[in-house]
Amino acid sequence: MTNHDSALPAPRLGEPYLLTPGPLTTSYPVKSAMLRDWGSWDGDFRAMTVEMRTRLLAMLGQGADDFDCVPMQGSGTFSVEAMLGSFIPRDGKALVLANGAYGQRTAETLAYLGRDHVVLDKGDYLPPRGDEVAQILADDPEITHVVAIHCETSSGILNPVEEISQVTYAAGRKLLIDSMSAFGALPLEVARIRYEALVSSANKCIEGVPGFGFVIARKSELEAAKGNSTSISLDVHAQWATMNKTGQWRFTPPTHVVAAFLEALRAHEAEGGVEGRGARYIRNRDVMVAGLRDLGFETLLKDRWLSPIIVTFFCPADPKFIFDDFYELMKAKGFIIYPGKLTVVDSFRIGCIGQMDEHVMRQVIAAAKDTLDEMGVKSATPPALALKERAKLAA
Ligand SMILES: *Cc1c(COP(=O)(O)O)cnc(C)c1O
């Protein structure tokens, strides 16, 4: 059913596809798994928590034994805040690598937490590079941690986390990764890239429904995190210690969401794990980008930086193109797209993740073509200003 060579079943009759980076389109089995109630203290649910943590850890590959997985209630941001507040000591200092909304949010979170930090702000879509990170670390010996965003979902840029990891550890510092929108589809094998902790959530590449996130961290960091957090509900060390002792979450867990997530994890394995999931998303992206380029649309990013998670396109220059109309007409055809977040030029985004394959992507292209015709837009070519912006991008 999840073979990427064949069409996946429609999510449900009449339900539009969510071409958005989470919540996303989930399978019918994932939705159905929520039709049962579970007691959070009961052995059956405790076993589900164990299976979930074990399956997530296995995605790190060889060396995963040194890590543990700590689920946290709430949306992804709650887990990011938990990771930052638990692993960065109160007298620590972070370097935040920002190139979009999620990097900015990380900096804002550190301000709330009262943790000293500096920001390397690359604007809307330029990648933070190893040499500039190395320079900042060399100039500021007080920095203890680097915080990187794996896929910055606001533009869809795939940041060079391996390069960033190398310079971080060469300088004797520690790396924390927000891999929210990438984990499960893009490899973060601990044998290949070093980091202390990462964070992701239920409703991204594993294709579950929203309701919790999880922190995956080196056990030695989890031990050392005791007493760092200033929040009871977001204390990763406390959640970890209690869960390992009692098998239970400290406070009411989202039981139905966990049941759905387990179903999603089994489907993830059946599809070929991280590699299989990533291959389907890459195919989704390649088919979608090629088809929309044929219509005249252009991507914000050059191919090298395009993630297989979400892609930003410039809005066409044609004055007949009105994004709100485009959105509604696409929705009427069964596809919910995502507005853009760029400051300089108008844009929109299309997600590649969720229960969709290349056949669905071809339907998206056909729907976009019909929609342009209905609107009387002759060409989807972006304005000259957009292409000038794009030229500024690093090669
Ligand atoms: C989705 C996402 C988050 C978390 O967002 P929530 O709305 O709190 O779930 C954080 N970082 C990135 C990169 C994301 O894509």
Side-chain angles (χ1 to χ4, degrees):
M1 189 190 73
T2 42
N3 181 340
H4 60 268
D5 290 322
S6 66
L8 302 167
R12 199 159 188 192
L13 220 54
E15 198 181 304
Y17 281 98
L18 298 176
L19 301 167
T20 56
L24 39 62
T25 295
T26 58
S27 72
Y28 194 70
V30 164
K31 289 188 250 276
S32 316
M34 291 186 284
L35 293 172
R36 181 179 159 174
D37 303 313
W38 304 87
S40 62
W41 70 95
D42 182 71
D44 291 345
F45 184 73
R46 281 185 281 141
M48 287 157 64
T49 300
V50 170
E51 183 183 340
M52 170 177 87
R53 295 171 69 197
T54 308
R55 283 179 175 275
L56 286 169
L57 271 179
M59 291 181 204
L60 302 193
Q62 208 142 46
D65 288 355
D66 294 339
F67 288 73
D68 209 347
C69 172
V70 188
M72 302 292 296
Q73 295 93 331
S75 86
T77 303
F78 293 61
S79 284
V80 175
E81 185 166 351
M83 170 175 79
L84 298 172
S86 299
F87 297 123
I88 301 172
R90 294 184 199 184
D91 60 355
K93 181 173 180 180
L95 166 61
V96 179
L97 307 180
N99 52 351
Y102 292 103
Q104 297 293 355
R105 189 182 296 172
T106 286
E108 194 185 355
T109 305
L110 288 165
Y112 266 84
L113 291 171
R115 296 295 197 276
D116 197 8
H117 62 281
V118 284
V119 182
L120 171 62
D121 188 353
K122 300 290 295 187
D124 276 346
Y125 48 78
L126 293 179
R129 299 308 301 261
D131 47 3
E132 53 190 339
V133 174
Q135 191 59 54
I136 295 169
L137 295 179
D139 292 345
D140 189 346
E142 286 185 0
I143 294 170
T144 54
H145 292 74
V146 174
V147 189
I149 315 293
H150 193 175
C151 169
E152 174 49 82
T153 321
S154 46
S155 69
I157 190 169
L158 187 55
N159 282 320
V161 284
E162 292 189 18
E163 182 178 303
I164 290 161
S165 169
Q166 275 159 17
V167 297
T168 299
Y169 286 94
R173 321 300 167 84
K174 292 175 171 176
L175 179 63
L176 306 176
I177 304 178
D178 172 354
S179 186
M180 200 71 65
S181 62
F183 186 77
L186 298 174
L188 269 182
E189 287 166 23
V190 289
R192 281 187 39 219
I193 172 172
R194 188 163 168 197
Y195 52 87
E196 303 310 310
L198 70 83
V199 63
S200 184
S201 74
N203 59 288
K204 304 259 175 158
C205 297
I206 313 287
E207 302 186 352
V209 303
F212 70 93
F214 48 91
V215 178
I216 293 181
R218 204 178 286 280
K219 284 176 186 163
S220 54
E221 289 297 303
L222 284 162
E223 300 275 8
K226 188 170 183 180
N228 281 349
S229 181
T230 53
S231 159
I232 180 169
S233 55
L234 298 179
D235 186 340
V236 178
H237 176 272
Q239 180 91 325
W240 175 65
T242 301
M243 205 169 264
N244 281 357
K245 206 166 126 199
T246 67
Q248 292 180 37
W249 302 47
R250 283 176 307 159
F251 314 116
T252 304
T255 48
H256 302 77
V257 178
V258 172
F261 192 65
L262 256 191
E263 195 61 38
L265 279 168
R266 292 179 190 132
H268 182 269
E269 184 187 12
E271 191 175 5
V274 175
E275 211 186 318
R277 182 60 50 92
R280 173 160 59 86
Y281 291 171
I282 287 170
R283 187 83 191 126
N284 283 352
R285 176 198 61 195
D286 291 349
V287 167
M288 187 254 292
V289 168
L292 290 182
R293 279 181 179 158
D294 281 348
L295 299 180
F297 285 104
E298 264 311 322
T299 59
L300 162 74
L301 301 171
K302 290 182 180 168
D303 289 358
R304 174 182 173 178
W305 303 107
L306 282 185
S307 69
I309 308 300
I310 188 165
V311 179
T312 299
F313 292 91
F314 294 120
C315 288
D318 191 322
K320 290 208 172 119
F321 184 92
I322 294 158
F323 177 77
D324 289 348
D325 296 348
F326 186 70
Y327 179 92
E328 288 301 335
L329 290 164
M330 287 294 286
K331 182 177 172 185
K333 294 174 180 60
F335 302 105
I336 293 193
I337 63 170
Y338 212 47
K341 264 196 177 176
L342 302 181
T343 41
V344 186
V345 286
D346 290 334
S347 61
F348 66 91
R349 295 175 286 172
I350 296 191
C352 315
I353 66 179
Q355 275 290 294
M356 337 179 271
D357 63 8
E358 61 183 283
H359 302 274
V360 175
M361 288 311 191
R362 290 205 181 86
Q363 294 168 31
V364 174
I365 297 157
K369 183 174 188 307
D370 291 348
T371 300
L372 292 179
D373 288 347
E374 286 166 48
M375 295 170 79
V377 175
K378 294 231 162 44
S379 155
T381 309
L385 175 67
L387 296 172
K388 236 171 83 189
E389 267 300 302
R390 185 177 191 251
K392 285 193 216 152
L393 254 179

